[in-house]
Amino acid sequence: MAPITTSIDVNRPPGQVFAYVTDPTRFAQWQKGVVNGHMDGDGTPRVGEKCLTTRRIGFAERPATSELTHIDPPSTWGVHGVDGPIRAVVEVTVDPLDSGQRSRVTIAVDFEGHGIGKVLVPSAVRPQARKEMPGNLATLEQRLEASPAQPN
């Protein structure tokens, strides 16, 4: 199956957009269900570092660990889930628009099911993600455009 891909244009420069959209400590500000997140490193994220995110699923909080697979600021960032029955594969791309004053954010999300996740991914997880992604990106746009513009 193809990844679920959603894009939105943001009236902020790529550097500012990239820094915000790839910062796990900010995921809860724009992603539905995220309670908290952080990188398991000290400073600048590097390939191989762990991204730890906790989501509220139903009445429980579920932690998930992903590994940073690539990073090329301010353009691309990707993670791949490494634990649990549902493992997300996320690709973020930030493209400059209008001489770098605006940006297009594209997020592609796919899922791998392990154990019970093999049943949950097609029946519940993918439909829920497809439903939530446009709202998540609209919230991302609102948050970024409400903050002061910063230079690239």
Side-chain angles (χ1 to χ4, degrees), residues 62-95:
R62 307 265 185 218
T65 304
S66 297
E67 183 174 296
L68 186 60
T69 57
H70 62 276
I71 183 167
D72 184 19
S75 303
T76 63
W77 181 89
V79 294
H80 187 274
V82 296
D83 64 2
I86 300 164
R87 301 177 190 182
V89 179
V90 181
E91 300 286 332
V92 174
T93 305
V94 179
D95 294 307

Side-chain angles (χ1 to χ4, degrees), residues 33 35 54-63:
V35 176
T54 302
R55 292 184 177 276
R56 179 167 298 286
I57 301 172
F59 297 106
E61 291 185 4
R62 307 265 185 218

